[in-house]
Amino acid sequence: MRLLAASGALLLASPALAGLRGGPAEAQEAVGIPPGGGSQPGIQWPPRNTCSQYATQSECTQQGDACDWGCTTAGAPFDSHRCWPRGEGWGCGYYGGGRFCAVDGDWTCAPKWGGGPSNGCYCWVGYRGGKDCCPCPPVPHCAGREFITCGGDAYGGSVDHLYASVCSKCEDGFQPNENGTDCEPIASAGSCAVSPGLRQDCGFYNITEAECADRGCCWGGGPLPNPGHVPWCYHSQPDQASPP
């Protein structure tokens, strides 16, 4: 029985574990990996099967080096006959079908057994209860790669469970944006000196001061009454001084 290796980890996993699908809807759109991020700069993430439009082996093989047909591996090849991209990172899942494993010298993903968090990695079901895991792309100013998610566990045959990296905890002075795909600077006290007439809304109806702070925005707490609907929670303007 043949075992596959990726990112220095042995491909091991269980047929009893179902692949997860999807991710945060706001993070599904493909984004370029930030320069210097380590995970194959220049590729589009999440990866997508750009060869799936070729339904037959003849059409697939006519694409030259761009596409490859078939993924017959040591496990049950239930999705072997399908067209998959060919290139760095692409390969075959243990149970048949294409898979993608990013390469990153800064973050190593050990094989995982069973469920639970993936510690900055996404995983592929392999042989006898284990999973081969690959590193999620980094998010600048995230507090650590262990706070990043980009997909669950899946068999080969689809990359639809992968999504843009989401950071749950940022470095000091930064906080996650609305969908967690970036860490934004927290506004400093001096940047909140914006006159009421120039405030740009950063909140929502009935937002609290604590919720406003969680967004990294400024809190004015007035005026009251407020017939002009001046935002109490508003964006900072570092170079904007209040008029006299």
Side-chain angles (χ1 to χ4, degrees):
M1 187 168 288
R2 183 164 65 94
L3 300 181
L4 304 177
S7 298
L10 197 60
L11 182 58
L12 306 169
S14 168
L17 296 169
L20 302 180
R21 291 288 180 266
E26 300 85 356
Q28 286 293 325
E29 185 177 354
V31 295
I33 293 176
S39 296
Q40 297 179 303
I43 70 164
Q44 287 297 109
W45 183 272
R48 292 293 178 252
N49 183 2
T50 56
C51 298
S52 61
Q53 59 186 305
Y54 307 114
T56 67
Q57 183 174 3
S58 175
E59 290 177 324
C60 184
T61 54
Q62 286 175 9
Q63 309 310 311
D65 292 335
C67 303
D68 199 8
W69 178 265
C71 269
T72 302
T73 59
F78 61 80
D79 197 16
S80 296
H81 301 300
R82 191 173 173 188
C83 199
W84 297 97
R86 177 185 293 173
E88 186 175 2
W90 288 98
C92 296
Y94 183 82
Y95 289 99
R99 63 190 288 274
F100 182 87
C101 189
V103 177
D104 193 331
D106 297 328
W107 190 253
T108 301
C109 297
K112 185 178 79 169
W113 298 85
S118 298
N119 196 31
C121 307
Y122 60 97
C123 303
W124 299 100
V125 175
Y127 177 67
R128 291 189 179 274
K131 297 170 189 172
D132 176 55
C133 301
C134 309
C136 293
V139 175
H141 301 293
C142 190
R145 291 288 278 272
E146 65 270 24
F147 299 110
I148 293 176
T149 58
C150 66
D153 304 333
Y155 293 99
S158 176
V159 289
D160 292 343
H161 68 299
L162 301 177
Y163 51 86
S165 290
V166 173
C167 176
S168 61
K169 181 179 179 181
C170 296
E171 296 173 350
D172 291 344
F174 294 83
Q175 66 177 13
N177 66 356
E178 186 174 357
N179 59 25
T181 57
D182 193 16
C183 288
E184 301 175 334
I186 296 175
S188 63
S191 67
C192 292
V194 182
S195 64
L198 295 176
R199 293 178 184 176
Q200 297 295 316
D201 196 359
C202 185
F204 49 86
Y205 184 69
N206 279 339
I207 191 172
T208 66
E209 183 172 1
E211 290 170 331
C212 184
D214 287 341
R215 289 172 169 243
C217 296
C218 302
W219 179 258
L224 191 66
N226 188 15
H229 303 289
V230 173
W232 287 19
C233 180
Y234 57 95
H235 290 283
S236 62
Q237 294 183 7
D239 299 324
Q240 174 70 52
S242 297

